[in-house]
Amino acid sequence: MYSSSIFSKDFDSTHELPKVREPDKHRVYLRRNEGYGGINFPVMDYLRYESFNSLLVNGYDANSAVRAFSKTNGYNAVSIQHELEYRYMDKFRVFYESRSLVNLKSSKNDQRSLQFKEDYVSLGAAYFHPLSPNFNIGVSLRQVDIEQTTKNNYVLFDLFPPLIGPRNREFSMNVRGTVPGIHIEIKPLRWFEIHIGKQFYNLSGNDTRSRVDIILVSDRNESLLFGYYDLSKGLVSYTGEKTTLDFVFRFSSWFATKWGYTIERYDVKYKKYLLFLDGDLQSTLLYSTLEGSQKQRMDFGSINLTFEFSKSFGE
């Protein structure tokens, strides 16, 4: 009696594969990637610069000095990425990628209360040329859209003078552009591969920040309610590199896993920037000049695990 699986092709395990595997005419890949590592995101630099700018404009203040010059620890973060890819003869490739990246709370004593999230979407194409049956070199081009949001919500509290109230801050950045890349695939064994890639980012977009304070101050026998807000908008550039290293283990013709490491390093710089402070034109101009000249960074290094499913068709 004869039976087969929809996933099986010519071989059901890598032990049955020939020494040199012929590429499929058409093949579709579905992947899920999970990553974990350390992250520093742009708002962390912005808050440190904010305290330093306050010292320059307003003079010495103990709290601002501590925040400006103390070492700040980064966060850990997790990412989940989904990929859909089509290949023709293993040379011509079209793919779609979607990733969500969020930070984890560093510790119970972390007073920053920062909540970071990045949504990454890309659509791209690539060409890989086989220099030998065991060695491919490729180039890729992606249209990338990145949206980063950071929330910083906490309660203001002080005894001198007695005050309490919520502070709500939100930082949003959206950048997009075309990202070229170069790639190498090494296939020393029929069940084992090494993939190396580097992508070059030069994106541009918008950055928006807002802050709203509602403060209740007790003064002798009466309580006063104060409100404060500021708003900033700017045009930003987002430049840097993403380097990936993956070790691929093929368990069958339709299933593989990747174990790898990714390093991402980017700089955020302002092309135009304006910070509007509530009712203060002089401070608006001064802070806009200071903050608009300060560079921020985005660093993420992660260990990754990828599950890959594929199916050939139309042969």
Side-chain angles (χ1 to χ4, degrees):
M1 185 174 180
Y2 177 79
S3 63
S4 65
S5 166
I6 61 171
F7 294 109
S8 64
K9 183 175 173 289
D10 299 324
F11 311 97
D12 285 332
S13 76
T14 55
H15 300 290
E16 298 171 343
L17 287 174
K19 185 175 182 180
V20 178
R21 182 176 178 177
E22 293 295 326
D24 300 302
K25 187 174 183 180
H26 305 282
R27 196 167 192 93
V28 174
Y29 294 80
L30 180 64
R31 304 185 186 93
R32 176 185 172 91
N33 174 289
E34 298 180 2
Y36 175 85
I39 188 172
N40 289 278
F41 43 90
V43 172
M44 297 173 62
D45 281 341
Y46 174 82
L47 294 177
R48 183 168 57 85
Y49 290 142
E50 185 178 55
S51 300
F52 183 75
N53 294 339
S54 178
L55 291 174
L56 291 178
V57 176
N58 302 316
Y60 178 79
D61 173 80
N63 291 331
S64 296
V66 170
R67 290 192 296 266
F69 296 105
S70 62
K71 182 179 179 180
T72 57
N73 295 323
Y75 286 87
N76 290 323
V78 294
S79 66
I80 297 178
Q81 177 166 313
H82 295 97
E83 303 174 12
L84 178 63
E85 181 178 352
Y86 162 76
R87 296 183 184 180
Y88 175 75
M89 298 298 295
D90 203 44
K91 295 181 179 180
F92 301 95
R93 308 178 183 183
V94 180
F95 48 85
Y96 171 82
E97 302 165 328
S98 176
R99 182 182 78 171
S100 177
L101 171 65
V102 297
N103 72 307
L104 304 175
K105 187 174 177 61
S106 60
S107 69
K108 293 182 179 180
N109 297 323
D110 182 21
Q111 303 297 321
R112 292 170 292 180
S113 301
L114 296 175
Q115 298 173 304
F116 171 83
K117 181 180 181 182
E118 177 188 274
D119 292 316
Y120 169 103
V121 176
S122 74
L123 179 64
Y127 173 75
F128 280 71
H129 187 74
L131 298 180
S132 76
N134 306 101
F135 187 86
N136 292 342
I137 185 169
V139 293
S140 66
L141 197 64
R142 290 169 168 81
Q143 181 63 35
V144 173
D145 191 318
I146 298 175
E147 182 174 353
Q148 294 180 355
T149 302
T150 306
K151 295 183 178 180
N152 185 211
N153 300 328
Y154 55 94
V155 176
L156 294 168
F157 177 79
D158 203 341
L159 295 176
F160 304 102
L163 63 85
I164 189 170
R167 168 171 288 177
N168 299 306
R169 308 187 73 176
E170 185 165 322
F171 308 79
S172 299
M173 181 179 67
N174 181 252
V175 292
R176 61 185 61 187
T178 304
V179 177
I182 55 175
H183 310 272
I184 293 174
E185 293 180 344
I186 305 170
K187 305 176 181 181
L189 300 171
R190 56 193 179 187
W191 53 269
F192 176 66
E193 302 174 12
I194 302 172
H195 296 178
I196 303 171
K198 184 178 282 289
Q199 300 171 32
F200 305 93
Y201 284 71
N202 188 7
L203 312 181
S204 59
N206 301 303
D207 180 271
T208 303
R209 299 173 180 147
S210 63
R211 168 182 160 187
V212 178
D213 295 346
I214 301 175
I215 303 172
L216 180 64
V217 180
S218 297
D219 183 16
R220 297 179 182 177
N221 295 324
E222 62 178 345
S223 297
L224 302 175
L225 189 64
F226 294 93
Y228 173 85
Y229 73 92
D230 62 45
L231 176 68
S232 69
K233 293 183 70 70
L235 301 179
V236 296
S237 65
Y238 191 85
T239 58
E241 297 179 354
K242 177 179 180 179
T243 305
T244 57
L245 171 64
D246 288 309
F247 300 97
V248 185
F249 299 88
R250 301 204 174 277
F251 296 95
S252 70
S253 62
W254 58 272
F255 176 68
T257 62
K258 296 182 181 181
W259 299 79
Y261 188 71
T262 300
I263 299 176
E264 301 180 50
R265 293 195 176 111
Y266 311 104
D267 290 328
V268 179
K269 297 180 181 179
Y270 286 101
K271 300 177 181 178
K272 295 181 181 179
Y273 182 81
L274 177 63
L275 170 64
F276 176 74
L277 299 175
D278 186 9
D280 191 337
L281 179 59
Q282 182 177 353
S283 295
T284 292
L285 297 175
L286 186 55
Y287 276 104
S288 295
T289 301
L290 285 171
E291 294 187 3
S293 65
Q294 292 166 335
K295 181 177 69 175
Q296 301 157 36
R297 76 186 194 280
M298 168 74 181
D299 298 329
F300 180 48
S302 66
I303 299 173
N304 309 307
L305 172 61
T306 302
F307 299 95
E308 177 184 278
F309 301 89
S310 64
K311 179 72 173 69
S312 64
F313 64 94
E315 298 186 25

